[in-house]
Amino acid sequence: MNPEPGKISICGDNSLRIEAGGMRLFITTEDVKSLIFYGRVVPISKSVCRTGEGGITESLLSIEGHAAMNAGGKAVTFFTTNGHYILPLISLQRVARGEAVSAPLFPLEYDSPEGRK
């Protein structure tokens, strides 16, 4: 059995955690609402804490991709620097509402003549 390529879950602050491609990413609570209710494209971010000069801890935030509704409005696609994934909209809604603990992400592969062998 192959391990799942990624999963989404809800954090304590109601942001959406995305574990995919060996990375831990997140979408803020406000962006989750914008994605679900309005179909807006939202950033997928990564937060890294490091100790700088003088022992001062710095929190760095970087955008590692984006999430968007697909053309039919029935699924959400996650485009990250480590890969592309898709998730049914209903699964995302269930996790965001707290009805489900997590949901698996599915790898998104485009059907192109160059990719076929």
Side-chain angles (χ1 to χ4, degrees), residues 3-51:
E4 58 189 30
K7 70 176 185 174
I8 63 164
S9 58
I10 201 79
C11 290
D13 62 352
N14 289 333
S15 63
L16 191 68
R17 180 177 31 203
I18 302 166
E19 296 178 20
M23 297 178 71
R24 290 184 174 215
L25 309 167
F26 70 93
I27 301 175
T28 64
T29 306
E30 296 82 20
D31 288 338
V32 171
K33 290 177 184 176
S34 293
L35 176 64
I36 291 174
F37 296 122
Y38 305 111
R40 294 187 178 132
V41 177
V42 297
I44 298 174
S45 305
K46 180 180 179 181
S47 179
V48 177
C49 293
R50 69 175 185 175
T51 304

Side-chain angles (χ1 to χ4, degrees), residues 53-103:
E53 295 178 17
I56 299 172
T57 303
E58 300 174 326
S59 180
L60 304 172
L61 184 67
S62 65
I63 295 175
E64 297 289 328
H66 67 276
M69 289 279 186
N70 72 344
K74 301 277 184 184
V76 177
T77 51
F78 298 88
F79 299 96
T80 68
T81 55
N82 281 357
H84 308 303
Y85 305 92
I86 192 164
L87 178 72
L89 177 61
I90 190 68
S91 296
L92 177 70
Q93 290 171 334
R94 291 187 66 218
V95 171
R97 287 191 301 250
E99 295 173 4
V101 175
S102 65

